[in-house]
Amino acid sequence: MVLLIVATALCTCLAALLRPVSGDITMFSNARFVSRAFGIYFLCMVAMGYAENARENILTEIFSEYDGKIPPNYDNDIPVKSSVQFYIIGIDSINEATMDFSMTFFVRQRWVDKRLNYTPVFNMTRLELDTRRMADVWVPDLYFVNEKKADVHQVTVPNKLMHIYPDGLVVYSMRVTATFSCTMDLQKYPLDDQRCNIILESYGYSTETLLMRWHQTPVEKSDNLQLPQFDLQNITEYICDVTYASVTYTCLKLELYLHRNLGYYIIQVYVPSVLIVILSWVSFWLNVDSTPARISLGLLTVLTMTTQSQGAKASLPRVSYVKAIDIWMSTCLFFVFAALIEFAYVNVLSRVDQRRGKSVMSNMNEAKEEDDEKEKGKLCCFKNLEDRERARLVDKISRLLFPAIFVIFNIVYWLVYVFWEPSPAP
């Protein structure tokens, strides 16, 4: 180290002497100039050769007596303060069926280890360690409490970074893709908002040895971060130190506030189901005697609504409470089924009229007197007209009643599920 400083000083001094003096233009001065240049070049090359080996020498000196199995400040009973920062690259998927979400991110940690102090040389600002050398350095035993599956990227090399600064500051970063559990409340689905957590703890070190805290900028996000069905509206950080068996462990928590986009469900669920319900009302405008057409239309809408309801619920978990999508689909199915029942009632009235007409005509054939036949014919026509008008009246009322009730249901449904907030789970 001393030789390097001396060589640097010599190079500076000789460079100053190398400047020609005014009037010194003789052949002797030119020879002296060349000799100075060769001397400076030789000394600078010696200094640069030493600089190339300086980092290796520093690493050798640092790790000669370093024990990575022992935390910093272990003998002084002072906890190591580690700051944690997240850089979110992307949130890959959010699954309601399994109640989890996947995320790719950089987790960055900073702490001070005085055993790694060194004196910098030249313009050296930090030491950048190879991944094989990182195994010799002590790192905090951070783990994710609600993690289901996690991987540190290994292509083409382990995606880890470790820089050591002269004052002993260690910067450690790694690229991780993990799947975290997220307990979701689906009472308002698909008009819901979800809060998903990422919980970090120290597995083996208590707060007497390791103390993790959030960095001044706890979370950074990629500019291209987008979610297909959600908007990441807010991220809140917490300190949640926990106690297990009378021992307190350091704990950090991130809460991600996710707002579900309704566009997909409007196009794929709500609009088709409304159209199916409206289609079922077409039977009210068909003739009372159009039995094949009305029964085909009623059965078609009921089966279609049943199939769509099953498809909308296929990606959801089997929870015990009622969801908003359940209310919607059940009500739409009730409307198309009620339209089919209305047709059955009208058809019964129509068939009663036909049976009464046949019975009256039979009595008319057996009658002997012409005056009696005319009276019975008039009575038949009167009764037939009364029953058919009753059936037609049911259709006319249904044309107004069904749409009015459906509109009222929509108003109540959207007002309740847009403004109602369910009580949060404890």
Side-chain angles (χ1 to χ4, degrees), residues 81 94 97 305:
K81 295 182 179 180
I94 300 176
M305 197 68 236

Side-chain angles (χ1 to χ4, degrees), residues 4-18:
L4 182 61
I5 297 175
V6 173
T8 305
L10 286 175
C11 288
T12 305
C13 295
L14 291 176
L17 294 175
L18 187 61

Side-chain angles (χ1 to χ4, degrees), residues 19-273:
R19 290 195 297 264
V21 182
S22 57
D24 191 7
I25 54 176
T26 62
M27 184 179 300
F28 176 76
S29 63
N30 291 337
R32 188 173 59 181
F33 177 82
V34 172
S35 63
R36 290 176 180 176
F38 275 109
I40 293 175
Y41 176 77
F42 175 76
L43 291 176
C44 290
M45 291 302 296
V46 171
M48 294 301 296
Y50 185 86
E52 291 179 357
N53 297 326
R55 298 176 186 271
E56 183 178 352
N57 295 334
I58 291 176
L59 289 175
T60 303
E61 181 180 352
I62 288 176
F63 290 105
S64 61
E65 298 180 357
Y66 183 86
D67 189 355
K69 304 180 184 66
I70 301 176
N73 306 326
Y74 188 75
D75 295 333
N76 300 328
D77 294 332
I78 300 175
V80 180
K81 295 182 179 180
S82 173
S83 67
V84 180
Q85 182 185 42
F86 273 64
Y87 182 87
I88 301 177
I89 302 173
I91 299 178
D92 306 321
S93 64
I94 300 176
N95 194 329
E96 293 85 5
T98 56
M99 290 198 176
D100 56 32
F101 68 100
S102 298
M103 187 171 71
T104 301
F105 57 95
F106 292 108
V107 55
R108 300 165 177 168
Q109 302 179 72
R110 295 174 175 85
W111 68 93
V112 175
D113 191 343
K114 293 296 184 181
R115 298 173 298 175
L116 298 176
N117 291 1
Y118 63 91
T119 303
V121 294
F122 285 108
N123 59 345
M124 180 188 299
T125 58
R126 62 185 179 273
L127 292 174
E128 301 176 357
L129 301 189
D130 183 79
T131 54
R132 290 164 291 187
R133 186 57 123 167
M134 295 178 191
D136 298 332
V137 180
W138 178 90
V139 296
D141 61 340
L142 177 149
Y143 83 103
F144 299 100
V145 177
N146 59 329
E147 169 258 326
K148 289 185 175 181
K149 180 181 179 182
D151 295 299
V152 178
H153 290 252
Q154 302 287 334
V155 179
T156 57
V157 295
N159 294 179
K160 296 182 179 181
L161 172 149
M162 181 175 285
H163 292 171
I164 302 177
Y165 289 82
D167 59 351
L169 175 65
V170 181
V171 177
Y172 181 56
S173 173
M174 55 184 174
R175 182 176 174 225
V176 181
T177 295
T179 301
F180 301 97
S181 61
C182 177
T183 303
M184 301 182 185
D185 185 359
L186 301 175
Q187 294 184 61
K188 291 183 62 176
Y189 177 90
L191 290 87
D192 58 329
D193 299 328
Q194 299 297 335
R195 289 179 172 85
C196 294
N197 299 324
I198 300 176
I199 304 174
L200 304 85
E201 291 183 11
S202 170
Y203 193 85
Y205 294 119
S206 66
T207 52
E208 298 176 358
T209 304
L210 175 62
L211 198 62
M212 292 191 301
R213 291 295 180 258
W214 288 113
H215 188 261
Q216 294 179 353
T217 306
V219 181
E220 295 179 348
K221 297 182 293 184
S222 172
D223 296 334
N224 300 323
L225 179 62
Q226 291 184 350
L227 286 77
Q229 293 188 24
F230 288 87
D231 289 329
L232 182 57
Q233 293 192 338
N234 189 28
I235 301 177
T236 307
E237 66 279 356
Y238 299 95
I239 297 175
C240 53
D241 293 350
V242 293
T243 301
Y244 301 116
S246 302
V247 179
T248 303
Y249 297 89
T250 185
C251 172
L252 300 176
K253 183 174 75 171
L254 276 183
E255 184 179 72
L256 284 67
Y257 184 81
L258 303 168
H259 174 72
R260 192 185 300 274
N261 295 324
L262 197 58
Y264 169 82
Y265 299 93
I266 291 290
I267 298 173
Q268 298 293 331
V269 177
Y270 288 101
V271 171
S273 57

